[in-house]
């Protein structure tokens, strides 16, 4: 049986993200010394939980340099298990052949009415949600919204690994 997974803000090929720091001054991605190491570690973590028949919703900011690194990005995305779907992030190049050829669907938001949540890249106002009262989102990396009704699936808060829908549903019930 196929499972459903969620992840956001992988930023494949984004070299400068390795230098980004949080409000405490600590690097937000301290585990890796270079972008290739980061990219392939996230591929390994993804494939450690996602099976080929599963669906994965990537909530945006898949990669940087999608034009300059198009063939490399295509090769990397091909290695990721699952049927990939994407919600457009603010850094995604929706004209990139690597993106277009590796994601079965590209949308702005996605509702999961039965589970009570709406997915987006950027956190949405809760009174604007159509499917449930909770927003599952990315965009804010290691930060949290600081109020009920939000579930962050950015890689920095999810051990750089997709999160199963059952885990999301449990967090939605607590949100």
């Amino acid at each position: 049986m196929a499972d459903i997974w969620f992840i956001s803000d992988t930023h494949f090929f984004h070299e400068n993200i390795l230098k980004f720091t949080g409000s405490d001054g600590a690097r937000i991605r301290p585990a890796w010394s270079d972008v290739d190491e980061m990219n392939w570690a996230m591929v390994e973590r993804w494939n450690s939980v996602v099976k080929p028949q599963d669906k994965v919703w990537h909530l945006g900011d898949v990669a940087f340099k999608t034009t300059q690194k198009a063939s490399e990005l295509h090769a990397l995305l091909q290695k990721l298990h699952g049927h990939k779907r994407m919600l457009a992030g603010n850094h995604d190049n929706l004209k990139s052949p690597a993106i277009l050829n590796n994601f079965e669907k590209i949308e702005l938001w996605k509702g999961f009415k039965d589970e009570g949540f709406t997915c987006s890249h950027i956190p949405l106002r809760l009174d604007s949600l159509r499917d449930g009262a909770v927003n599952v989102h990315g965009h804010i990396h290691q930060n949290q919204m600081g109020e009920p009704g939000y579930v962050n699936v950015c890689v920095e808060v999810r051990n750089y690994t997709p999160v199963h829908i059952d885990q999301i549903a449990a967090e939605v019930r607590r949100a």
Side-chain angles (χ1 to χ4, degrees):
M1 185 170 142
D3 289 315
I4 301 173
W5 301 86
F6 300 87
I7 193 167
S8 184
D9 294 273
T10 47
H11 286 261
F12 292 121
F13 298 99
H14 187 184
E15 294 177 26
N16 282 338
I17 203 163
L18 296 173
K19 299 174 188 171
F20 289 5
T21 59
S23 58
D24 61 357
R27 288 182 24 209
I28 67 169
R29 295 195 182 187
W32 301 291
S33 58
D34 64 54
V35 73
D36 287 332
E37 185 181 354
M38 176 190 78
N39 289 345
W40 294 106
M42 285 193 286
V43 169
E44 286 177 19
R45 291 178 189 197
W46 178 304
N47 290 342
S48 74
V49 296
V50 176
K51 298 178 293 299
Q53 70 272 18
D54 293 347
K55 289 182 184 174
V56 181
W57 282 94
H58 194 300
L59 305 191
D61 287 0
V62 172
F64 265 49
K65 298 184 179 180
T66 55
T67 303
Q68 304 95 312
K69 299 275 189 176
S71 62
E72 292 175 66
L73 176 59
H74 178 74
L76 183 146
L77 294 173
Q78 287 282 294
K79 298 280 188 199
L80 296 172
H81 291 172
H83 297 273
K84 297 174 284 298
R85 285 109 192 270
M86 177 182 150
L87 301 183
N90 56 302
H91 292 294
D92 290 315
N93 177 355
L94 300 181
K95 294 179 182 178
S96 165
I99 298 292
L100 293 173
N101 293 329
N102 283 286
F103 287 90
E104 296 174 3
K105 290 185 178 183
I106 300 174
E107 302 183 42
L108 294 176
W109 60 272
K110 173 68 176 165
F112 289 82
K113 192 176 198 115
D114 291 345
E115 291 80 7
F117 64 90
T118 299
C119 292
S120 60
H121 175 64
I122 295 173
L124 301 173
R125 287 175 31 150
L126 296 178
D127 63 359
S128 71
L129 302 180
R130 292 175 42 161
D131 296 303
V134 175
N135 181 210
V136 176
H137 64 86
H139 186 64
I140 61 174
H141 295 271
Q142 78 285 0
N143 300 310
Q144 296 296 328
M145 289 297 291
E147 58 188 273
Y150 293 95
V151 174
N152 182 352
V153 295
C154 289
V155 295
E156 289 87 359
V157 297
R158 301 298 179 155
N159 196 30
Y160 306 92
T161 308
V163 184
H164 193 272
I165 193 167
D166 291 345
Q167 175 67 34
I168 299 295
E171 292 180 35
V172 164
R173 286 191 295 275
R174 291 191 301 268

